[in-house]
Amino acid sequence: MGWKDEAFLEDLRDKTRRGMAGQVRRGLSAGGRAYGYRSEPMYSDQHQIVGYKRVVDSQEAAVVRRIFELYDSGYSPKTIVHMLNEERVAPPRPSRGRRLMGWTWTTINGSPRKAIGILNNPLYVGKLAWNRSQKVRDPDTGKRMMRLRPEGEWQWTSVPELRIIPQDLWDRVQARRQGRRQAAGLTPGAKPKYLFSGLLVCGECGSHYTIKDRGYYACSANVNRGSAVCRNTKLARRDRVEEILIDCIYKELFSPETVAYLTRQVDEALARLSINPDEQRRRIEADLRQARTELENVLTAIRQGLTTPATRGLLFECEERVAGLEASLRDLPTKPPRLVSPPSAVESYLRQLRETMGTDAERARRLLAKLIGPVTLRRDGTHLVAEVQGNLEALLGLDDPATASLYGGNHGAGRGI
């Protein structure tokens, strides 16, 4: 049956792709909507919808032309985004599950290799590219991921009625972009270089802090989207942030006094959990025997013809009680959870952090993520205040949040920057 199901799905995928390819050849949409266009249904002679066709949205098309003209005039994508957000121009719809926070420069800049992003979309000059990517399932995680197909498999269709950008403007923009890429010489996918990269969070909008001008942290939403999205313009010197937060970790969050307090909390929690498992099992088994006896009595009454709404209700209640007790018996732990000693765990992490801070920033950053997790920076007058929490659950290796909550949870501190 499993083989038949897999063969059916494979055949269904082929038929779906064949149908989508046919829609594209007929000039119809195969899904997705680029900014600057909207979809309109197409009807058959019997007034049935046979597909959807892209048409130019005049308001969004005017925004697309303005973006191209601004970029051709020398403006950067970030500057253009700031202007659009200040003017409250409606941004494209966000991906599923993401917040709508206005325009971002990556929406405009995109990726030339993938032909995505406003400045790279060939649809704006009347060329439709289909079959650029496919979704595949990761065999380890089971999640579906988008993978780029080889450029030779892309299918191109001419759609001159969808042109928004004149060819000469398109050519000038692409020439400028090519020149900027060659001048920058940047390597994509670079690893974080600094201790707190990806760990600092803006307290006003929830975005991460990013490095600005190499020496300062700044809210990425303010930098990339402008003050219309986040008004947090406060900068924090990188060396100052690292000095204060590292000092807080060693002297406050995980000081000897704090670790001793956490150890007492863990010992008390273990004492609460150290109920004799055998006694608890005997108690559940006794309740289960009584519940099964009651269930058998109800079934006997039903077999003798006493089928009434009351007996049916009792049958449901007894079956539910038996199932619940059986589940409790299966889930009953044989012994209390074994934990790493808090002093040894904390000392090990702090020692590794001290050894790697000056030699391996990426490893040190991972240790910090384990020790404290995200750090929230909030404005307080002319200063930023960092809210830091020690991540005790991660240090003790607790995978079950329900169990982790028994040990006192996180402990925090605040420091001015």
Side-chain angles (χ1 to χ4, degrees), residues 175-397:
R176 184 188 174 208
R177 290 175 59 72
Q178 180 65 25
R180 289 176 61 87
R181 287 195 297 272
Q182 292 176 352
L186 298 178
T187 302
K191 294 182 179 180
K193 298 180 181 179
Y194 307 107
L195 281 179
F196 290 93
S197 296
L199 299 180
L200 303 179
V201 178
C202 176
E204 298 192 22
C205 68
S207 301
H208 286 282
Y209 270 71
T210 185
I211 288 292
K212 180 182 180 182
D213 300 331
R214 296 191 177 274
Y216 292 86
Y217 281 107
C219 172
S220 60
N222 179 267
V223 172
N224 296 329
R225 304 171 190 260
S227 298
V229 174
C230 181
R231 297 190 177 276
N232 182 8
T233 59
K234 293 295 297 180
L235 303 180
R237 279 178 49 187
R238 181 179 64 83
D239 55 351
R240 181 70 173 157
V241 169
E242 294 177 359
E243 176 187 351
I244 292 178
L245 293 183
I246 293 297
D247 184 71
C248 176
I249 289 172
Y250 279 98
K251 295 183 178 180
E252 294 186 33
L253 282 180
F254 298 108
S255 65
E257 296 79 11
T258 304
V259 173
Y261 169 78
L262 294 176
T263 303
R264 292 195 300 270
Q265 294 293 315
V266 170
D267 291 341
E268 292 175 4
L270 284 175
R272 293 195 300 271
L273 290 176
S274 60
I275 302 173
N276 189 344
D278 295 334
E279 178 63 28
Q280 193 171 3
R281 180 178 295 275
R282 284 193 292 270
R283 186 168 63 246
I284 295 177
E285 288 176 345
D287 293 341
L288 181 59
R289 285 194 297 271
Q290 180 180 355
R292 285 173 174 169
T293 300
E294 294 174 357
L295 175 61
E296 185 60 32
N297 292 338
V298 174
L299 290 174
T300 300
I302 292 176
R303 293 190 192 101
Q304 294 175 354
L306 297 177
T307 305
T308 64
T311 55
R312 286 195 293 268
L314 284 173
L315 178 63
F316 175 77
E317 292 177 4
C318 291
E319 288 178 339
E320 192 175 46
R321 177 169 170 75
V322 168
L325 290 170
E326 289 176 344
S328 299
L329 196 60
R330 287 193 305 269
D331 297 338
L332 187 65
T334 57
K335 54 184 177 180
R338 296 179 60 186
L339 297 179
V340 179
S341 169
S344 62
V346 171
E347 290 172 3
S348 174
Y349 274 96
L350 293 180
R351 184 178 63 256
Q352 295 179 59
L353 178 62
R354 188 179 292 108
E355 293 171 352
T356 58
M357 277 194 299
T359 58
D360 189 346
E362 174 58 20
R363 186 183 175 199
R365 193 188 68 83
R366 290 198 298 266
L367 290 170
L368 283 170
K370 195 86 167 181
L371 281 165
I372 61 175
V375 178
T376 301
L377 300 184
R378 301 186 186 277
R379 285 194 296 176
D380 184 13
T382 59
H383 300 282
L384 286 172
V385 175
E387 297 177 359
V388 192
Q389 284 194 332
N391 191 359
L392 180 62
E393 289 89 341
L395 293 180
L396 299 181

Side-chain angles (χ1 to χ4, degrees), residues 71 75-86 103-106 108-109 119 180 210-213 219-227:
Y71 188 85
Y75 290 91
S76 69
K78 288 185 179 180
T79 304
I80 297 173
V81 160
H82 290 188
M83 295 170 63
L84 296 176
N85 286 330
E86 288 290 344
W103 289 83
T104 179
W105 69 276
T106 54
I108 295 176
N109 204 52
L119 294 179
R180 289 176 61 87
T210 185
I211 288 292
K212 180 182 180 182
D213 300 331
C219 172
S220 60
N222 179 267
V223 172
N224 296 329
R225 304 171 190 260
S227 298

